[in-house]
Amino acid sequence: EAQGILAQMYKNGQCVEHDDEKAVYWYTKSAEQGNVFAQCNLGHAYENGIGIEQDHTLAFQWYKKGAEQGDANAQHVIGKKYLTGIGVPGDDKQAARWFKKSAEQGNANAELFLGIAYQVGRGVEQNDQHAFDWFSKSAEQGNADAQVRLGEAYFLARGVEQDYQQAFTWYSKSAEQGNADAQLRLGEAYYFGRGVEQDHKQAFAWYSKSAEQGNARGQFRRGEAHSHGIGIEQDHEQAFTWYKKSADQGNANAQVEVGYMYEQGLGTK
């Protein structure tokens, strides 16, 4: 334990001069004696090449030692390694297995990933109800990605009865944390009046937030608003700008609009 503390002191430059190499040296000493904290930090060092040459295989091995001792964060990381095939051959079933171990300890990120696994049937049998349950657990802990997926589940009636108001509630929670996809969906909720009173100005405001983060569909929706003067004064130049940003990312609807605006000479000068 003392070795792990000393490693942390070198890592943070606490009472000693910051030295990543010495931190790795002491993490290794501690990890080899079975210290979970040191094993996880050593895995992180190898993963990111901090104080030692980057080595994804060794990163996996050290994280796995921590995971096998029950560290929830390490279990989640191991699940991601199996999912992506980084440092270990990809294995969806093993990924889901480790996500479940971590999720059952309340790790919000693992709950999200396990929900996604159930939603798409990757490594587990597809099950919308299980996906909904795990998204709910993660969302309630404040995970923005889980919140937008939970909103989507309510919106599309996936694993739960359709409820536009609940969808709006969860989209809002996620959007307020800066999730671009949730901002788009919240804008659409305001635009169509689903789960909330229709408000085109609010729709435009949320489309704008999403678009400015680079969300292609948000950019298309903002272009659409400028083009037709919905929630904002009509402005063909702004419409073209946002349609073009979306089109450049491959959005087919935006590409059609850009072509039309070039053809008609709208906002392209």
mmCIF file of all heavy atoms in Angstrom, residues 86-115:
data_model
loop_
_atom_site.group_PDB
_atom_site.id
_atom_site.type_symbol
_atom_site.label_atom_id
_atom_site.label_comp_id
_atom_site.label_asym_id
_atom_site.label_seq_id
_atom_site.Cartn_x
_atom_site.Cartn_y
_atom_site.Cartn_z
ATOM 1 N N ILE A 86 -9.040 -4.023 -28.507
ATOM 2 C CA ILE A 86 -7.787 -3.310 -28.256
ATOM 3 C C ILE A 86 -7.050 -3.997 -27.103
ATOM 4 O O ILE A 86 -7.544 -4.036 -25.978
ATOM 5 C CB ILE A 86 -8.041 -1.833 -27.918
ATOM 6 C CG1 ILE A 86 -8.666 -1.110 -29.116
ATOM 7 C CG2 ILE A 86 -6.741 -1.138 -27.518
ATOM 8 C CD1 ILE A 86 -9.063 0.321 -28.835
ATOM 9 N N GLY A 87 -5.900 -4.571 -27.422
ATOM 10 C CA GLY A 87 -5.103 -5.246 -26.400
ATOM 11 C C GLY A 87 -5.484 -6.684 -26.169
ATOM 12 O O GLY A 87 -4.818 -7.408 -25.425
ATOM 13 N N VAL A 88 -6.559 -7.107 -26.827
ATOM 14 C CA VAL A 88 -7.056 -8.484 -26.699
ATOM 15 C C VAL A 88 -7.966 -8.745 -27.897
ATOM 16 O O VAL A 88 -8.581 -7.809 -28.409
ATOM 17 C CB VAL A 88 -7.846 -8.639 -25.369
ATOM 18 C CG1 VAL A 88 -9.107 -7.794 -25.369
ATOM 19 C CG2 VAL A 88 -8.172 -10.094 -25.080
ATOM 20 N N PRO A 89 -8.039 -9.998 -28.390
ATOM 21 C CA PRO A 89 -8.968 -10.266 -29.498
ATOM 22 C C PRO A 89 -10.405 -9.911 -29.104
ATOM 23 O O PRO A 89 -10.832 -10.180 -27.975
ATOM 24 C CB PRO A 89 -8.812 -11.781 -29.726
ATOM 25 C CG PRO A 89 -7.439 -12.089 -29.233
ATOM 26 C CD PRO A 89 -7.223 -11.177 -28.052
ATOM 27 N N GLY A 90 -11.133 -9.282 -30.013
ATOM 28 C CA GLY A 90 -12.508 -8.886 -29.736
ATOM 29 C C GLY A 90 -13.382 -10.077 -29.394
ATOM 30 O O GLY A 90 -13.248 -11.149 -29.992
ATOM 31 N N ASP A 91 -14.272 -9.883 -28.415
ATOM 32 C CA ASP A 91 -15.162 -10.961 -27.985
ATOM 33 C C ASP A 91 -16.394 -10.318 -27.354
ATOM 34 O O ASP A 91 -16.354 -9.869 -26.212
ATOM 35 C CB ASP A 91 -14.436 -11.867 -26.982
ATOM 36 C CG ASP A 91 -15.228 -13.118 -26.618
ATOM 37 O OD1 ASP A 91 -16.466 -13.034 -26.547
ATOM 38 O OD2 ASP A 91 -14.599 -14.173 -26.376
ATOM 39 N N ASP A 92 -17.491 -10.258 -28.117
ATOM 40 C CA ASP A 92 -18.690 -9.572 -27.646
ATOM 41 C C ASP A 92 -19.285 -10.211 -26.395
ATOM 42 O O ASP A 92 -19.806 -9.508 -25.515
ATOM 43 C CB ASP A 92 -19.746 -9.537 -28.757
ATOM 44 C CG ASP A 92 -19.359 -8.615 -29.900
ATOM 45 O OD1 ASP A 92 -18.474 -7.763 -29.708
ATOM 46 O OD2 ASP A 92 -19.954 -8.755 -30.993
ATOM 47 N N LYS A 93 -19.224 -11.522 -26.295
ATOM 48 C CA LYS A 93 -19.779 -12.190 -25.118
ATOM 49 C C LYS A 93 -18.982 -11.865 -23.866
ATOM 50 O O LYS A 93 -19.550 -11.625 -22.798
ATOM 51 C CB LYS A 93 -19.833 -13.711 -25.349
ATOM 52 C CG LYS A 93 -20.909 -14.137 -26.341
ATOM 53 C CD LYS A 93 -21.014 -15.653 -26.457
ATOM 54 C CE LYS A 93 -22.130 -16.036 -27.424
ATOM 55 N NZ LYS A 93 -22.242 -17.506 -27.563
ATOM 56 N N GLN A 94 -17.649 -11.850 -24.006
ATOM 57 C CA GLN A 94 -16.819 -11.472 -22.873
ATOM 58 C C GLN A 94 -17.049 -10.002 -22.508
ATOM 59 O O GLN A 94 -17.055 -9.639 -21.322
ATOM 60 C CB GLN A 94 -15.333 -11.709 -23.195
ATOM 61 C CG GLN A 94 -14.902 -13.155 -23.089
ATOM 62 C CD GLN A 94 -14.935 -13.665 -21.657
ATOM 63 O OE1 GLN A 94 -14.652 -12.938 -20.703
ATOM 64 N NE2 GLN A 94 -15.297 -14.920 -21.504
ATOM 65 N N ALA A 95 -17.232 -9.167 -23.524
ATOM 66 C CA ALA A 95 -17.503 -7.748 -23.257
ATOM 67 C C ALA A 95 -18.767 -7.608 -22.410
ATOM 68 O O ALA A 95 -18.768 -6.929 -21.375
ATOM 69 C CB ALA A 95 -17.657 -6.987 -24.569
ATOM 70 N N ALA A 96 -19.835 -8.266 -22.842
ATOM 71 C CA ALA A 96 -21.099 -8.184 -22.111
ATOM 72 C C ALA A 96 -20.960 -8.754 -20.697
ATOM 73 O O ALA A 96 -21.527 -8.216 -19.736
ATOM 74 C CB ALA A 96 -22.189 -8.929 -22.874
ATOM 75 N N ARG A 97 -20.183 -9.829 -20.577
ATOM 76 C CA ARG A 97 -19.966 -10.460 -19.256
ATOM 77 C C ARG A 97 -19.316 -9.482 -18.283
ATOM 78 O O ARG A 97 -19.749 -9.364 -17.125
ATOM 79 C CB ARG A 97 -19.092 -11.698 -19.432
ATOM 80 C CG ARG A 97 -18.661 -12.362 -18.137
ATOM 81 C CD ARG A 97 -17.924 -13.669 -18.426
ATOM 82 N NE ARG A 97 -17.318 -14.212 -17.221
ATOM 83 C CZ ARG A 97 -16.048 -14.030 -16.849
ATOM 84 N NH1 ARG A 97 -15.228 -13.334 -17.642
ATOM 85 N NH2 ARG A 97 -15.593 -14.556 -15.735
ATOM 86 N N TRP A 98 -18.297 -8.781 -18.729
ATOM 87 C CA TRP A 98 -17.603 -7.845 -17.848
ATOM 88 C C TRP A 98 -18.417 -6.582 -17.606
ATOM 89 O O TRP A 98 -18.389 -6.010 -16.510
ATOM 90 C CB TRP A 98 -16.214 -7.524 -18.393
ATOM 91 C CG TRP A 98 -15.272 -8.676 -18.174
ATOM 92 C CD1 TRP A 98 -14.856 -9.593 -19.094
ATOM 93 C CD2 TRP A 98 -14.687 -9.067 -16.928
ATOM 94 N NE1 TRP A 98 -14.036 -10.521 -18.511
ATOM 95 C CE2 TRP A 98 -13.901 -10.229 -17.178
ATOM 96 C CE3 TRP A 98 -14.715 -8.555 -15.636
ATOM 97 C CZ2 TRP A 98 -13.187 -10.873 -16.183
ATOM 98 C CZ3 TRP A 98 -13.998 -9.191 -14.633
ATOM 99 C CH2 TRP A 98 -13.239 -10.340 -14.913
ATOM 100 N N PHE A 99 -19.156 -6.135 -18.623
ATOM 101 C CA PHE A 99 -20.047 -4.990 -18.406
ATOM 102 C C PHE A 99 -21.060 -5.330 -17.317
ATOM 103 O O PHE A 99 -21.375 -4.497 -16.460
ATOM 104 C CB PHE A 99 -20.785 -4.607 -19.696
ATOM 105 C CG PHE A 99 -19.936 -3.924 -20.721
ATOM 106 C CD1 PHE A 99 -20.156 -4.153 -22.083
ATOM 107 C CD2 PHE A 99 -18.932 -3.051 -20.364
ATOM 108 C CE1 PHE A 99 -19.378 -3.522 -23.046
ATOM 109 C CE2 PHE A 99 -18.149 -2.402 -21.322
ATOM 110 C CZ PHE A 99 -18.381 -2.644 -22.665
ATOM 111 N N LYS A 100 -21.570 -6.567 -17.346
ATOM 112 C CA LYS A 100 -22.575 -6.982 -16.364
ATOM 113 C C LYS A 100 -21.982 -7.004 -14.959
ATOM 114 O O LYS A 100 -22.613 -6.542 -13.998
ATOM 115 C CB LYS A 100 -23.135 -8.360 -16.725
ATOM 116 C CG LYS A 100 -24.376 -8.764 -15.937
ATOM 117 C CD LYS A 100 -25.025 -9.976 -16.567
ATOM 118 C CE LYS A 100 -26.396 -10.240 -15.957
ATOM 119 N NZ LYS A 100 -26.316 -10.704 -14.576
ATOM 120 N N LYS A 101 -20.767 -7.532 -14.816
ATOM 121 C CA LYS A 101 -20.118 -7.551 -13.505
ATOM 122 C C LYS A 101 -19.979 -6.131 -12.947
ATOM 123 O O LYS A 101 -20.237 -5.868 -11.767
ATOM 124 C CB LYS A 101 -18.731 -8.196 -13.611
ATOM 125 C CG LYS A 101 -18.745 -9.723 -13.771
ATOM 126 C CD LYS A 101 -17.327 -10.241 -13.883
ATOM 127 C CE LYS A 101 -17.282 -11.756 -14.039
ATOM 128 N NZ LYS A 101 -17.708 -12.459 -12.796
ATOM 129 N N SER A 102 -19.558 -5.219 -13.813
ATOM 130 C CA SER A 102 -19.377 -3.832 -13.395
ATOM 131 C C SER A 102 -20.712 -3.152 -13.118
ATOM 132 O O SER A 102 -20.874 -2.450 -12.109
ATOM 133 C CB SER A 102 -18.606 -3.071 -14.474
ATOM 134 O OG SER A 102 -18.387 -1.734 -14.096
ATOM 135 N N ALA A 103 -21.674 -3.378 -14.007
ATOM 136 C CA ALA A 103 -22.998 -2.759 -13.871
ATOM 137 C C ALA A 103 -23.689 -3.203 -12.588
ATOM 138 O O ALA A 103 -24.370 -2.410 -11.924
ATOM 139 C CB ALA A 103 -23.859 -3.106 -15.078
ATOM 140 N N GLU A 104 -23.506 -4.449 -12.233
ATOM 141 C CA GLU A 104 -24.142 -4.956 -11.012
ATOM 142 C C GLU A 104 -23.558 -4.322 -9.755
ATOM 143 O O GLU A 104 -24.152 -4.408 -8.682
ATOM 144 C CB GLU A 104 -24.022 -6.486 -10.964
ATOM 145 C CG GLU A 104 -24.959 -7.164 -11.956
ATOM 146 C CD GLU A 104 -24.751 -8.662 -12.062
ATOM 147 O OE1 GLU A 104 -23.696 -9.158 -11.595
ATOM 148 O OE2 GLU A 104 -25.638 -9.332 -12.616
ATOM 149 N N GLN A 105 -22.407 -3.672 -9.909
ATOM 150 C CA GLN A 105 -21.821 -2.912 -8.797
ATOM 151 C C GLN A 105 -22.212 -1.439 -8.855
ATOM 152 O O GLN A 105 -21.763 -0.631 -8.042
ATOM 153 C CB GLN A 105 -20.292 -3.031 -8.815
ATOM 154 C CG GLN A 105 -19.769 -4.426 -8.518
ATOM 155 C CD GLN A 105 -18.296 -4.373 -8.160
ATOM 156 O OE1 GLN A 105 -17.906 -3.815 -7.139
ATOM 157 N NE2 GLN A 105 -17.466 -4.950 -9.013
ATOM 158 N N GLY A 106 -23.035 -1.100 -9.862
ATOM 159 C CA GLY A 106 -23.533 0.266 -9.958
ATOM 160 C C GLY A 106 -22.707 1.214 -10.794
ATOM 161 O O GLY A 106 -22.906 2.433 -10.736
ATOM 162 N N ASN A 107 -21.784 0.680 -11.615
ATOM 163 C CA ASN A 107 -20.991 1.546 -12.494
ATOM 164 C C ASN A 107 -21.882 2.078 -13.617
ATOM 165 O O ASN A 107 -22.385 1.300 -14.436
ATOM 166 C CB ASN A 107 -19.804 0.764 -13.056
ATOM 167 C CG ASN A 107 -18.882 1.626 -13.899
ATOM 168 O OD1 ASN A 107 -19.221 2.031 -15.004
ATOM 169 N ND2 ASN A 107 -17.691 1.901 -13.386
ATOM 170 N N ALA A 108 -22.076 3.384 -13.655
ATOM 171 C CA ALA A 108 -23.022 3.989 -14.599
ATOM 172 C C ALA A 108 -22.621 3.770 -16.056
ATOM 173 O O ALA A 108 -23.478 3.551 -16.920
ATOM 174 C CB ALA A 108 -23.179 5.477 -14.323
ATOM 175 N N ASN A 109 -21.332 3.849 -16.359
ATOM 176 C CA ASN A 109 -20.884 3.642 -17.733
ATOM 177 C C ASN A 109 -21.111 2.198 -18.170
ATOM 178 O O ASN A 109 -21.507 1.939 -19.314
ATOM 179 C CB ASN A 109 -19.404 4.004 -17.870
ATOM 180 C CG ASN A 109 -19.175 5.501 -17.809
ATOM 181 O OD1 ASN A 109 -19.956 6.280 -18.349
ATOM 182 N ND2 ASN A 109 -18.123 5.916 -17.142
ATOM 183 N N ALA A 110 -20.864 1.256 -17.260
ATOM 184 C CA ALA A 110 -21.096 -0.147 -17.582
ATOM 185 C C ALA A 110 -22.587 -0.412 -17.770
ATOM 186 O O ALA A 110 -22.982 -1.204 -18.641
ATOM 187 C CB ALA A 110 -20.532 -1.038 -16.490
ATOM 188 N N GLU A 111 -23.414 0.229 -16.969
ATOM 189 C CA GLU A 111 -24.869 0.084 -17.122
ATOM 190 C C GLU A 111 -25.299 0.544 -18.516
ATOM 191 O O GLU A 111 -26.129 -0.100 -19.169
ATOM 192 C CB GLU A 111 -25.589 0.892 -16.048
ATOM 193 C CG GLU A 111 -25.422 0.322 -14.644
ATOM 194 C CD GLU A 111 -25.866 1.272 -13.551
ATOM 195 O OE1 GLU A 111 -26.032 2.495 -13.823
ATOM 196 O OE2 GLU A 111 -26.020 0.815 -12.410
ATOM 197 N N LEU A 112 -24.724 1.649 -18.964
ATOM 198 C CA LEU A 112 -25.012 2.153 -20.310
ATOM 199 C C LEU A 112 -24.594 1.144 -21.372
ATOM 200 O O LEU A 112 -25.382 0.794 -22.266
ATOM 201 C CB LEU A 112 -24.281 3.474 -20.541
ATOM 202 C CG LEU A 112 -24.215 3.975 -21.996
ATOM 203 C CD1 LEU A 112 -25.598 4.324 -22.509
ATOM 204 C CD2 LEU A 112 -23.272 5.173 -22.107
ATOM 205 N N PHE A 113 -23.354 0.666 -21.288
ATOM 206 C CA PHE A 113 -22.849 -0.257 -22.297
ATOM 207 C C PHE A 113 -23.604 -1.587 -22.291
ATOM 208 O O PHE A 113 -23.822 -2.185 -23.348
ATOM 209 C CB PHE A 113 -21.343 -0.493 -22.109
ATOM 210 C CG PHE A 113 -20.485 0.549 -22.763
ATOM 211 C CD1 PHE A 113 -20.224 1.758 -22.135
ATOM 212 C CD2 PHE A 113 -19.949 0.332 -24.019
ATOM 213 C CE1 PHE A 113 -19.437 2.725 -22.748
ATOM 214 C CE2 PHE A 113 -19.157 1.288 -24.643
ATOM 215 C CZ PHE A 113 -18.905 2.492 -24.000
ATOM 216 N N LEU A 114 -24.007 -2.043 -21.109
ATOM 217 C CA LEU A 114 -24.792 -3.275 -21.040
ATOM 218 C C LEU A 114 -26.167 -3.056 -21.666
ATOM 219 O O LEU A 114 -26.684 -3.933 -22.372
ATOM 220 C CB LEU A 114 -24.930 -3.725 -19.582
ATOM 221 C CG LEU A 114 -25.609 -5.070 -19.347
ATOM 222 C CD1 LEU A 114 -24.883 -6.191 -20.091
ATOM 223 C CD2 LEU A 114 -25.680 -5.381 -17.851
ATOM 224 N N GLY A 115 -26.731 -1.881 -21.435
ATOM 225 C CA GLY A 115 -28.012 -1.546 -22.065
ATOM 226 C C GLY A 115 -27.908 -1.559 -23.576
ATOM 227 O O GLY A 115 -28.783 -2.090 -24.273
#
